[in-house]
């Protein structure tokens, strides 16, 4: 089990927006929905690697800026008819701070 | 003595044959009709809208009892024929009525197939075939109750949709994992499923029904895997079986259906058969279009004209669920020797696929945008070689015609192009009826030709024909909702924003009952534009509702880097600017520097976090954002003009600079491009711009509504003016009219084609006061728009979070 990293305050991420966290596993997009739910996905669209952090967030979904695939923030899965999944990272908010966990690449498939 | 013709089956195929027969040989037969249903003849396919509450039974009657009386056709409604005696040439009903015939026509249709599982006879288990079934369903449909529809084909989905309209919870059970697999490919089926799920329909795919549960009435369904689902109503829509019992009993040759030849005759030459009960060249049809063709041929032979053969039909399908546009035809799944041409635009919810072999269309599937269904279907049936327009075929028929008004597309179709698939009506028939009978309304056309009188999906086409033929529009087609988040069209939303003084997205969502909490990527950018364009300075520009390019004021590239294009007013630059650009390119290691098609320089491959510093350096050299990324004023191209060129008539470069200084920074429904050419040689290509000026000796010609792009459109001449001041006023007024009235993502070219050049002239050229007011509103909104977005961000004050990572961890 890896550690929870404090990556900043919830207020550092705009509502319906996203910020990037740089990591050894590549950029991770951390999203904040209108209801303050927070999600983290690898910043790479399953289609052609588009930066999801740059997309438009609506509900608990994000639309990729490159070719408009729509992904579920909760799971990283693309909605039909597109098929694919962005890697998901455990993230939570505690006392206004956002905590993120890296996943080891080998067990990421089970997340 | 007239010969006696008896028809068994008072349905769509049989009665169509009688109608065709009466039209060509009204006095030949003494006609008697037997119908098991206690009604006149009605349009069976419209039972779906009846179930959904969109039509009444009265509205779907084709021939009511009066019609029979008027045409001297004897109808025995509610009497089922139970025996045919071929040697005596008699038919007999259950209650003993006997009728003699010289010729007999069988049109007994088909029966819903009921799965042979335990419990299938319980009350509450029904098929979906006739008025009685619909009445049973309506009686059972109560909010909160649960219906299970077995079968995810056309019929099943229409049944479920109808029941849901009455508040029932519906689960559709389907054996395979592709809905409507006989009409759709997996992609279109996926889109369909998603939008039905959004409406609340539930699906159990890959589920095999094992038993219907319940004692005295149905209460649930059990599946092979043991799963049980509660149900107050079970609709079986797993398929149909040709109704051949009577023919079999009479010894008429049947296989799957009653076997007929190309003249619709059975093995007994006195007995004909049409409709779903027949099998022709091995095929039993389950749609109406083939029936029309069969009816025509059969009537012709009954009238003893002896011409016409039925040679089988290629069919197409549409789904009659309001709000879902879906079309499919032919061999849409393709095969090894076929190619597919596909267009997919998830933002608009559009998917189109053509299956092509040797440049001939074999099949088509369309979802979301089906206007061209009729055209593809015509190309398919006629086996047209599409190689000349293969690259653009997916953009539709409108694309083929020379730039012209909407509607020209359907008018350029040939007279024998089929417009109404349900009733088999061709374009020529409609045009002829409109001109000869002086028809003016859609209802008239429906009454006289039957076109658009059935499923309604060709209504738009029929309206276009009507509009083009009589020159007036009877009724404008219903506007489409903006997106799945709302029922309202762009125009309705826009009007509400203006009239109800809505100044924020939240206010729009609340006032107009948005169905999603915060919209989607399709409606939010449009709403944001409408808000700031309607209430400049008052509505807050919502960055989170802007596409990334507009949010970070640079164009995203395929690798996630950005391109930066500084403004070069009218295409002019200076050594200092060029030096600053060169320095920036060196300093930030920008890999590509390119001259754009818009007469300026593009720095491609800038890393996102470098953007603010790149901008700061460009700002320092006096350059501002070129808005190459925005739905906004882009470039003003110019040529050298009278300063240098030996043909130049006016200072085109100078005028271009003035126009760009006046208009830069403004947000528009789609991108807006301008050009000024110094003489009619037109080196700045002004006649394919949204707004173009061509200088002539006596002044300036204004041209509007052009664009390059996928479909090139040359401009229309707006007017001719004498001074630069006037050009500025007309330019500002034109942009403002476009800003206020066009729909988001509608460029000036389609906008002008929609509203008409004369409308634009009436506002800009003929109405001086109105023009001045538009110009004033334009200049007023520019106060809030002409703030260089780069300078704001380079200073670190605005949206700093966009350009910095939140954290770095290892
Ligand atoms: C950079 C440039 C190509 C070049 O290297 O020359 C370019 C690049 C793009 N064009 Fe263009 N267009 C460029 C001049 C043109 C021109 C020529 C012109 O303006 O005279 C045209 C045809 C004229 C016209 O617009 O009518 C043109 C017609 C289009 C179209 C089709 C528009 C249409 O209405 O059909 C698109 C697609 C769209 O906007 O939806 C498009 C879209 C694009 C996009 C934005 C595609 C995208 O969504 O990413 C490209 C952005 C590349 C980038 O990141 O920089 N580009 N594009 C040109 C920038 C001009 C500038 O200085 O701002
Ligand atoms: C809900 C629904 C929606 C549909 N939607 C579409 C659509 O969108 N597009 C499309 O192309 N097709 C559609 N169809 C199919 C279309 O309705 C049929 O293809 C068409 O009605 C077949 O015509 P028919 O005359 O062969 O049979 P029917 O219209 O069924 O007529 C047969 C008639 O014969 C009567 N009959 C049978 N046996 C006897 C007997 N022994 N004595 C007396 N009378 C008898 C029956 O009661 C019935 O009234 C739909 C069907 C249904 C049920
Ligand atoms: S023509 Fe196509 S590839 Fe080239 S810049 Fe324009 S959009 Fe991109
Ligand atoms: S890369 Fe995300 S949609 Fe294409």
């Amino acid at each position: 089990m890896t550690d929870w990293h404090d990556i900043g305050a919830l207020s550092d991420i705009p509502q319906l927006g996203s910020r990037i966290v740089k990591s050894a596993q590549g950029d991770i997009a951390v999203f904040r929905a209108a209801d303050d739910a927070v999600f983290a996905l690898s910043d790479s669209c399953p289609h052609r690697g588009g930066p999801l952090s740059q997309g438009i967030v609506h509900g608990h979904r994000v639309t990729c800026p490159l070719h408009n695939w729509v992904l579920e923030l909760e799971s990283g899965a693309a909605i039909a008819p597109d098929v694919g999944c962005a890697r998901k990272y455990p993230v939570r908010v505690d006392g206004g701070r956002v905590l993120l966990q890296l996943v080891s690449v080998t067990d990421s498939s089970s997340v | 003595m007239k010969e006696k013709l008896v028809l068994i089956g008072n349905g769509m195929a049989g009665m169509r044959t009688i109608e065709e027969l009466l039209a060509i040989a009204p006095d030949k037969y003494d006609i008697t009709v037997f119908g098991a249903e206690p009604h006149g003849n009605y349009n069976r396919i419209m039972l779906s809208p009846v179930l959904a509450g969109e039509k009444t039974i009265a509205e779907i009657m084709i021939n009511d009892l009066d019609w029979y009386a008027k045409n001297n056709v004897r109808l025995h409604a509610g009497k089922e024929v139970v025996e045919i005696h071929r040697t005596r040439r008699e038919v007999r009903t259950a209650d003993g009525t006997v009728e003699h015939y010289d010729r007999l026509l069988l049109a007994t249709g088909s029966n819903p197939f009921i799965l042979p599982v335990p419990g299938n006879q319980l009350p509450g288990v029904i098929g979906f075939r006739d008025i009685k079934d619909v009445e049973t369903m309506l009686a059972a449909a109560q909010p909160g109750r649960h219906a299970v529809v077995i079968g995810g084909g056309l019929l099943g989905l229409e049944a479920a949709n109808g029941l849901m309209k009455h508040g029932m919870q519906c689960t559709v059970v389907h054996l395979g994992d592709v809905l409507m697999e006989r009409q759709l490919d997996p992609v279109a089926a996926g889109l369909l499923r998603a939008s039905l799920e959004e409406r609340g329909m539930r699906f159990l795919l890959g589920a095999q029904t094992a038993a219907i549960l319940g004692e005295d009435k149905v209460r649930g369904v059990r599946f092979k895997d043991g799963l049980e689902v509660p149900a107050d109503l079970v609709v079986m829509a797993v398929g149909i079986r040709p109704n051949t019992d009577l023919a079999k009993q009479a010894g008429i040759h049947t296989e799957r259906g009653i076997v007929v030849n190309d003249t619709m005759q059975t093995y007994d030459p006195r007995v004909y058969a049409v409709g779903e009960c027949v099998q022709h060249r091995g095929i039993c049809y389950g749609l109406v279009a083939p029936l029309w063709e069969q009816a025509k041929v059969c009537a012709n032979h009954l009238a003893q004209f002896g011409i016409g053969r039925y040679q089988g039909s290629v069919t197409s399908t549409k789904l009659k669920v309001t709000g879902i546009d879906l079309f499919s035809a032919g061999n849409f799944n393709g095969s090894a020797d076929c190619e597919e041409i596909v267009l997919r635009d998830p933002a608009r919810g559009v998917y189109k696929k053509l299956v092509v072999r040797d440049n001939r269309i074999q099949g088509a599937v369309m979802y979301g945008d089906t206007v061209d269904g009729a055209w593809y279907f015509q190309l398919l049936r006629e086996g047209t070689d599409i190689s000349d327009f293969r690259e653009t075929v997916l953009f539709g028929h409108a694309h083929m015609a020379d730039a012209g008004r909407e509607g020209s597309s359907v008018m350029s179709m040939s007279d024998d192009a089929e417009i109404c698939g349900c009733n088999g009506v061709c374009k020529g028939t409609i045009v002829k009826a409109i001109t000869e009978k002086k028809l003016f309304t859609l209802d008239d056309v429906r009454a006289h030709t039957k076109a658009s009188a059935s499923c309604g999906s060709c209504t738009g086409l029929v309206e276009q024909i009507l509009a083009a033929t009589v020159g007036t529009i009877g009724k404008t087609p219903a506007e489409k909702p903006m997106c799945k988040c709302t029922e309202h069209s762009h125009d309705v939303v826009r009007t509400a924003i203006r009239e109800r003084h809505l100044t924020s997205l939240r206010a729009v969502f609340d006032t107009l009952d948005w169905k999603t909490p915060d919209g989607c990527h399709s409606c939010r950018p449009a709403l944001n534009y409408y808000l700031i364009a309607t209430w400049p300075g008052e509505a807050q520009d919502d960055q989170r509702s802007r596409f990334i390019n507009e949010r970070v004021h640079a164009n995203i590239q395929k690798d996630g880097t950005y391109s930066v294009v500084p403004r070069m007013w009218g295409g002019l630059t200076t050594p200092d600017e060029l030096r600053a650009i060169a320095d920036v390119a060196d300093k930030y290691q920008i890999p590509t520097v390119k001259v754009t098609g818009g007469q300026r320089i593009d720095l491609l491959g800038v890393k996102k976090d470098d953007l603010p510093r790149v901008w700061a350096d460009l700002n320092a050299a006096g350059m501002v954002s070129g808005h190459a990324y925005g739905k906004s004023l882009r470039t003003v191209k110019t040529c050298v003009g009278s300063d240098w060129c030996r043909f130049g008539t006016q200072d085109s470069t100078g005028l271009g600079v003035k126009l760009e200084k006046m208009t830069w920074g403004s947000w528009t429904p789609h991108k807006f491009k301008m050009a000024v050419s110094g003489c009619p040689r037109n080196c700045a290509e002004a006649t394919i711009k949204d707004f173009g000026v061509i200088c002539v000796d006596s002044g300036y010609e204004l041209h509007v509504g052009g664009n390059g792009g996928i479909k090139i459109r040359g401009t229309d001449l707006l007017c001719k003016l004498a001074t630069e001041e006037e050009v500025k006023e007309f330019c500002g007024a034109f942009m403002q009219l476009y800003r206020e009235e066009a729909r988001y993502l509608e460029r000036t070219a389609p906008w002008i084609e929609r509203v008409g050049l004369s409308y634009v002239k009436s506002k800009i050229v003929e109405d001086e006061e109105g023009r001045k007011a538009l110009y004033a509103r334009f200049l007023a909104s520019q106060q809030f728009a002409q703030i260089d977005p780069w300078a704001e961000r380079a200073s670190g004050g605005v949206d700093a979070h966009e350009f910095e990572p939140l954290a770095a961890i290892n």
Side-chain angles (χ1 to χ4, degrees):
Chain A
M1 209 23 135
T2 41
D3 302 331
W4 288 98
H5 300 269
D6 182 333
I7 53 171
L10 178 64
S11 55
D12 291 337
I13 311 171
Q15 274 187 335
L16 291 178
S18 161
R19 297 284 302 270
I20 289 176
V21 171
K22 300 247 170 219
S23 87
Q25 296 175 9
D27 287 357
I28 301 170
V30 184
F31 301 88
R32 175 178 172 195
D35 59 5
D36 283 346
V38 170
F39 307 93
L41 298 177
S42 152
D43 194 21
S44 175
C45 177
H47 178 220
R48 290 201 206 148
L52 299 172
S53 57
Q54 319 291 298
I56 289 183
V57 178
H58 44 101
H60 285 183
R61 290 177 170 179
V62 64
T63 301
C64 176
L66 290 197
H67 317 96
N68 279 345
W69 278 30
V70 180
L71 273 66
E72 295 287 1
L73 291 172
E74 183 68 58
S75 61
I79 64 163
D82 300 314
V83 181
C85 198
R87 190 195 304 161
K88 156 189 170 176
Y89 290 86
V91 66
R92 64 188 167 94
V93 181
D94 193 348
R97 304 297 300 175
V98 183
L99 306 176
L100 175 80
Q101 215 177 29
L102 291 183
V103 281
S104 72
V105 181
T106 43
D107 68 31
S108 65
S109 57
S110 64
V111 181
Chain B
M1 252 273 278
K2 281 197 210 172
E3 282 186 281
K4 295 196 73 165
L5 172 66
V6 169
L7 162 64
I8 305 179
N10 185 24
M12 300 190 71
M15 283 313 296
R16 177 69 165 227
T17 311
I18 301 294
E19 283 186 62
E20 296 272 5
L21 178 63
L22 290 174
I24 53 175
D27 298 318
K28 186 162 174 58
Y29 290 101
D30 176 11
I31 304 172
T32 305
V33 177
F34 288 93
E37 295 184 69
H39 308 281
N41 167 40
Y42 62 91
N43 190 342
R44 192 170 307 282
I45 77 173
M46 297 305 277
L47 288 176
S48 301
V50 170
L51 180 64
E54 293 162 1
K55 293 259 176 190
T56 61
I57 297 283
E59 283 172 310
I60 70 165
M61 292 311 296
I62 303 176
N63 303 112
D64 55 14
L65 300 176
D66 275 358
W67 181 93
Y68 289 86
K70 244 191 272 158
N71 288 278
N72 289 322
V73 174
R74 205 170 317 109
L75 170 66
H76 294 284
K79 290 197 184 182
E80 185 183 349
V81 174
V82 292
E83 193 188 344
I84 302 172
H85 206 295
R86 288 199 291 140
T87 43
R88 285 210 297 261
R89 283 198 260 133
E90 275 173 10
V91 302
R92 189 171 57 77
T93 66
D95 69 353
T97 312
V98 173
E99 194 79 38
H100 174 81
Y101 68 79
D102 295 302
R103 296 202 179 229
L104 179 64
L105 176 58
L106 297 174
T108 48
S110 49
N111 295 320
F113 179 63
I114 301 292
L115 289 176
V117 293
N120 64 5
Q121 299 297 334
L122 284 170
V125 181
I126 53 169
F128 183 17
R129 182 71 195 176
D130 53 26
I131 290 184
K132 190 170 70 339
D133 294 332
V134 172
E135 284 169 348
T136 314
M137 285 195 246
L138 289 176
Q142 275 173 29
R145 286 211 186 167
H146 205 129
V148 170
V149 176
I150 305 182
L154 176 126
L155 220 52
L157 296 179
E158 291 186 356
N161 177 64
L163 291 169
M164 263 178 17
K165 288 269 166 75
H166 297 281
M168 285 194 103
Q169 302 189 337
C170 280
T171 304
V172 174
V173 178
H174 194 56
L175 195 55
D177 50 8
V178 177
L179 294 177
M180 288 180 67
E181 74 269 355
R182 291 177 50 201
Q183 286 94 15
L184 297 183
D185 68 353
V187 177
L191 287 164
L192 172 64
R193 179 178 164 194
S195 54
L196 290 173
E197 275 175 343
E198 228 158 88
R199 294 162 178 232
M201 205 178 282
R202 299 179 197 162
F203 291 96
L204 273 179
L205 301 188
Q208 211 175 334
T209 308
I212 312 287
L213 309 173
E215 258 88 81
D216 48 347
K217 68 180 282 296
V218 59
R219 105 192 130 66
V221 179
R222 183 166 60 230
F223 300 97
K224 280 266 156 71
D225 60 5
L227 177 74
E228 289 186 10
V229 174
D232 304 292
L233 180 71
V234 171
V235 182
M236 294 257 189
V238 287
I240 51 172
R241 293 286 175 273
N243 186 357
T244 56
D245 294 352
L246 198 56
K248 260 198 205 124
Q249 165 268 326
I252 295 170
H253 181 57
T254 59
E255 288 172 10
R256 224 154 27 98
I258 304 169
V259 178
V260 294
N261 62 16
D262 286 2
T263 61
M264 308 313 295
Q265 246 166 347
T266 67
Y267 275 52
D268 176 341
R270 284 190 183 272
V271 183
Y272 290 76
V274 288
E276 283 187 348
C277 61
V278 310
Q279 175 178 331
H280 171 262
R281 298 193 187 177
I283 299 178
C284 298
Y285 294 96
L287 292 168
V288 294
L291 314 185
W292 309 140
E293 297 174 44
Q294 295 175 358
K296 220 186 185 80
V297 172
C298 184
N300 199 285
H301 285 275
L302 283 170
Q304 289 177 331
F305 288 3
I307 45 165
R309 282 170 63 203
Y310 177 67
Q311 316 206 29
S313 306
V314 191
T315 55
S316 67
T317 323
K318 295 159 190 166
L319 184 72
K320 302 186 295 301
V321 170
T322 308
I324 293 185
D325 291 331
L326 185 159
F327 175 90
S328 98
N331 168 13
F332 54 85
N333 273 325
S335 54
D337 55 347
C338 292
E339 300 134 3
E340 293 182 356
I341 313 180
V342 178
L343 179 146
R344 214 154 131 175
D345 183 347
R348 286 195 304 135
V350 171
Y351 169 71
K352 300 188 194 180
K353 179 174 94 174
L354 295 179
V355 173
V356 174
R357 191 193 308 129
D358 299 333
N359 281 318
R360 287 179 169 76
I361 296 179
Q362 308 295 316
V365 188
M366 305 162 77
Y367 186 92
D369 172 0
T370 53
V371 238
D372 288 300
W375 182 49
Y376 296 139
F377 194 42
Q378 187 192 10
L379 295 174
L380 185 158
R381 280 178 310 163
E382 293 176 358
T384 311
D385 184 338
I386 63 163
S387 37
D388 286 345
F389 51 96
R390 190 177 157 127
E391 306 91 273
T392 55
V393 66
L394 272 184
F395 300 117
H397 196 247
H399 210 85
M400 301 278 302
D402 289 323
R405 304 292 308 260
E406 245 181 272
S408 66
S409 68
V410 56
M411 289 319 283
S412 60
M413 288 168 75
S414 67
D415 272 353
D416 55 5
E418 184 178 86
I419 301 295
C420 173
C422 293
N423 293 307
V425 189
C426 301
K427 187 189 128 195
T429 314
I430 301 176
V431 172
K432 192 155 159 252
I434 295 171
T435 41
E436 284 181 2
K437 306 213 169 97
K438 306 224 173 342
L439 309 181
F440 285 99
T441 67
L442 182 62
D443 282 339
D444 288 346
V445 178
R446 284 185 176 146
H448 286 269
T449 66
K450 291 210 159 83
S452 138
S454 293
C455 80
S457 43
C458 62
T459 303
L461 288 174
V462 176
E463 279 173 337
Q464 283 181 25
I465 296 175
L466 185 64
T469 311
V470 300
T472 58
I473 296 174
K475 183 172 144 266
T476 45
E479 301 286 356
K480 283 202 171 170
M482 277 180 76
C483 67
K484 291 175 193 147
C485 303
T486 177
E487 301 291 348
H488 303 300
S489 67
H490 279 266
D491 294 354
V492 167
V493 171
R494 219 169 169 182
T495 309
I497 289 177
R498 191 170 52 243
E499 289 179 357
R500 301 165 81 166
H501 202 113
L502 307 178
T503 57
S504 69
L505 286 167
R506 187 46 44 213
V508 174
F509 293 158
D510 291 347
T511 316
L512 301 178
D513 295 325
W514 233 246
K515 292 191 272 184
T516 46
D518 33 43
C520 70
H521 63 265
S522 165
C523 61
R524 280 225 316 265
L527 293 177
N528 189 52
Y529 167 73
Y530 292 150
L531 287 166
I532 58 172
T534 313
W535 303 110
E538 191 175 347
Q540 187 80 56
D541 192 346
D542 180 35
Q543 297 301 317
R544 311 251 60 96
S545 295
R546 284 193 177 270
F547 180 63
I548 184 64
N549 287 358
E550 293 187 356
R551 201 185 321 142
V552 302
H553 298 274
N555 296 63
I556 195 163
Q557 305 294 311
K558 62 181 197 176
D559 62 354
T561 64
Y562 287 81
S563 77
V564 169
V565 186
R567 226 166 249 298
M568 283 182 177
W569 309 98
L572 285 175
T573 184
T574 61
D576 279 341
E577 283 184 354
L578 292 174
R579 256 189 293 273
I581 289 174
D583 288 344
V584 164
D586 279 344
K587 185 163 159 194
Y588 300 98
Q589 297 174 343
I590 295 170
T592 302
V593 181
K594 180 182 181 301
V595 174
T596 73
Q599 296 189 340
R600 44 204 194 160
I601 290 176
D602 196 351
L603 297 158
L604 293 131
V606 183
K607 288 191 266 325
K608 193 179 179 197
D609 20 357
D610 282 339
L611 286 173
R613 271 165 293 155
V614 167
W615 294 334
D617 288 4
L618 294 171
N619 279 160
M623 283 175 274
V624 296
S625 165
H627 291 85
Y629 44 79
K631 305 291 173 238
S632 58
L633 178 84
R634 294 282 176 95
T635 59
V636 182
K637 279 169 86 160
T638 68
C639 71
V640 282
S642 56
D643 268 6
W644 295 97
C645 177
R646 64 205 164 101
F647 295 116
T649 61
Q650 310 280 354
D651 177 13
S652 50
T653 322
L655 177 58
V657 172
K658 283 179 199 147
L659 290 176
E660 190 165 356
K661 294 261 178 189
M662 174 178 91
T663 55
W664 76 274
S666 60
W667 298 108
T668 41
H670 204 309
K671 57 186 164 193
F672 194 96
K673 299 180 177 182
M674 301 204 240
V676 186
S677 286
C679 83
R681 285 169 194 75
N682 193 13
C683 298
E685 299 160 339
T687 47
I688 54 157
K689 294 291 175 268
D690 297 277
F691 183 86
V693 182
I694 300 213
C695 303
V696 288
D697 268 329
S698 55
Y700 307 87
E701 280 176 14
L702 303 194
H703 295 260
V704 294
N707 68 205
I710 297 169
K711 181 172 196 257
I712 189 157
R713 181 182 195 271
T715 45
D716 294 313
L717 177 65
L718 184 70
C719 61
K720 216 181 116 184
L721 302 172
T723 66
E724 286 195 344
E725 247 342 282
E726 286 174 302
V727 174
K728 283 176 68 178
E729 178 176 317
F730 277 63
C731 172
F734 176 75
M735 268 185 97
Q736 187 64 13
L737 185 69
Y738 170 60
R739 284 165 38 92
E740 289 179 5
E741 299 191 0
R743 298 170 189 154
Y744 193 64
L745 293 189
E746 182 176 44
R747 254 188 107 170
T748 56
W751 171 62
I752 285 188
E753 292 198 359
R754 178 164 67 82
V755 301
L757 178 66
S758 48
Y759 171 77
V760 175
K761 279 189 176 165
S762 75
K763 293 281 182 178
I764 306 292
V765 186
E766 287 144 29
D767 176 3
E768 185 184 342
E769 212 178 307
R771 175 181 68 241
K772 289 201 183 313
L774 280 166
Y775 184 46
R777 288 205 291 282
F778 179 76
L779 294 180
S781 78
Q782 283 298 81
Q783 279 175 269
F784 305 96
Q786 290 195 329
I787 299 165
D788 178 28
W790 289 358
E792 283 185 305
R793 284 158 183 79
S795 67
V798 174
D799 283 349
H801 61 82
E802 281 290 355
F803 307 100
E804 286 160 15
L806 179 60
I809 50 179
N810 352 328

